[in-house]
Amino acid sequence: MEQGLVMRSTGSWYDVRDRRDGHLWQCRLKGKFKIKDLKVTNPIAVGDHVVFDVEDKTENTGIILDILPRENYLIRQSVHKTAHAHLLAANVDQAILVVTLFFPRTSLGFIDRFLVTAESFRIPAVLVFNKQDLLSEDMLDFQQELMELYESLGYRCLVTTAVTNEGLDQVRALLEGKVSVLSGHSGVGKSSLINAITPTLDLRTKEVSTFANKGVHTTTFAEMFELGPDTYLVDSPGIKELGLAETDPSEISHYFPEMRDLLNQCRYHNCLHINEPGCAVKEAVQEGTIAMSRFDSYLSMVGGQDNRR
């Protein structure tokens, strides 16, 4: 038996890099994984460490026998199977969301859901605001306000423009020595950013569709790239919506740093911060110390609403 790192997932086959010599094997799952009640659409994620057997050296195939314990993982509710979740990546050091405020627009609700998801699995999150060249002065001012908001909550924010290389050195430094997962809507420029940082990868990109300013999917399957020594980047398919998975409504406020600081100050220990009297969170919203946009996102998550737009 061998041990390896899952570098790419196509749904039924996995590229597994042998820990010993770096060789890539085309592996499939042993049948038992398919009958386990795992409640996920994909039992194995890019970034997983697995045990496998070589099946056919000539065909370069193997069979995955086991998944080694995960340090963490990033997950979202499955779009097609509401009772199931979908693993985005495993064993990551940080989660990076690429954001654009125009063409296509990333909603504040989507940003907040991503941050809550990362918080719930104790994964540091970073926001990268891309496509500065498309923003008007008013939009640049609005973006600066957003960055100040999220930075005040402890989230690092970077500004990039792939076409002019603005901010790319900062992104390279951010990635160095870490396993990072890169996410965002289709069309926000993830692949263009990766190409600008590491041109040898030459990832496929497409123009954003002008119809409703929606992004065009260019990354079909999650894939991990080695950018340098101990530096890996997982490029995930573009996400249209980010449903929360494995998160109870009563826990959601724990993943908002500004609300977490006030949890012991509400009159009731099980306060949901909706219509309860003596709620410290609602008082903070009224006083302006908690942003209304963040509170709106919180309410939509507790209510199970879709705030992808």
Side-chain angles (χ1 to χ4, degrees), residues 53-122:
D53 262 343
V54 174
E55 181 182 39
D56 190 322
K57 287 188 176 180
T58 303
E59 296 293 327
N60 196 50
T61 59
I63 298 178
I64 295 173
L65 305 174
D66 200 7
I67 307 170
L68 298 179
R70 295 174 174 130
E71 292 183 12
N72 58 36
Y73 54 88
L74 199 62
I75 197 169
R76 69 182 175 99
Q77 185 177 330
S78 172
V79 176
H80 303 294
K81 295 183 178 181
T82 54
H84 288 67
H86 183 81
L87 292 164
L88 298 177
N91 303 311
V92 300
D93 296 314
Q94 60 187 355
I96 302 170
L97 181 67
V98 180
V99 174
T100 50
L101 299 184
F102 177 71
F103 207 63
R105 174 182 171 271
T106 306
S107 72
L108 301 187
F110 186 89
I111 294 173
D112 292 335
R113 280 174 181 253
F114 182 87
L115 296 177
V116 164
T117 299
E119 286 272 353
S120 67
F121 293 101
R122 295 177 177 83

Side-chain angles (χ1 to χ4, degrees), residues 82-270:
T82 54
H84 288 67
H86 183 81
L87 292 164
L88 298 177
N91 303 311
V92 300
D93 296 314
Q94 60 187 355
I96 302 170
L97 181 67
V98 180
V99 174
T100 50
L101 299 184
F102 177 71
F103 207 63
R105 174 182 171 271
T106 306
S107 72
L108 301 187
F110 186 89
I111 294 173
D112 292 335
R113 280 174 181 253
F114 182 87
L115 296 177
V116 164
T117 299
E119 286 272 353
S120 67
F121 293 101
R122 295 177 177 83
I123 300 173
V126 180
L127 300 178
V128 173
F129 290 82
N130 194 30
K131 299 190 179 182
Q132 305 307 294
D133 54 314
L134 298 181
L135 301 184
S136 65
E137 288 298 323
D138 287 344
M139 290 300 293
L140 287 171
D141 290 341
F142 175 59
Q143 178 178 275
Q144 184 60 37
E145 292 176 8
L146 286 182
M147 291 176 62
E148 291 174 359
L149 166 61
Y150 288 112
E151 286 175 342
S152 73
L153 301 174
Y155 300 109
R156 186 176 179 186
C157 297
L158 300 178
V159 172
T160 57
T161 306
V163 294
T164 63
N165 294 331
E166 178 184 358
L168 295 189
D169 287 342
Q170 287 181 294
V171 176
R172 290 189 187 97
L174 174 71
L175 299 175
E176 190 171 353
K178 294 184 175 68
V179 178
S180 308
V181 58
L182 195 69
S183 194
H185 287 319
S186 296
V188 296
K190 300 192 310 299
S191 296
S192 296
L193 277 177
I194 297 174
N195 283 338
I197 294 167
T198 311
T200 54
L201 293 178
D202 193 25
L203 300 185
R204 187 167 60 92
T205 61
K206 282 186 180 179
E207 294 296 323
V208 176
S209 168
T210 54
F211 176 70
N213 291 346
K214 292 181 179 178
V216 180
H217 286 278
T218 54
T219 304
T220 307
F221 304 109
E223 184 167 5
M224 176 181 282
F225 302 102
E226 185 174 15
L227 306 184
D230 300 317
T231 302
Y232 297 89
L233 183 63
V234 179
D235 184 22
S236 61
I239 299 173
K240 289 184 179 179
E241 57 183 291
L242 187 61
L244 300 181
E246 299 187 5
T247 305
D248 188 272
S250 64
E251 300 174 349
I252 292 176
S253 61
H254 299 195
Y255 307 128
F256 282 75
E258 66 272 48
M259 296 183 191
R260 188 165 57 223
D261 293 340
L262 300 174
L263 288 183
N264 294 325
Q265 298 181 32
C266 292
R267 181 181 302 175
Y268 301 105
H269 73 278
N270 58 348

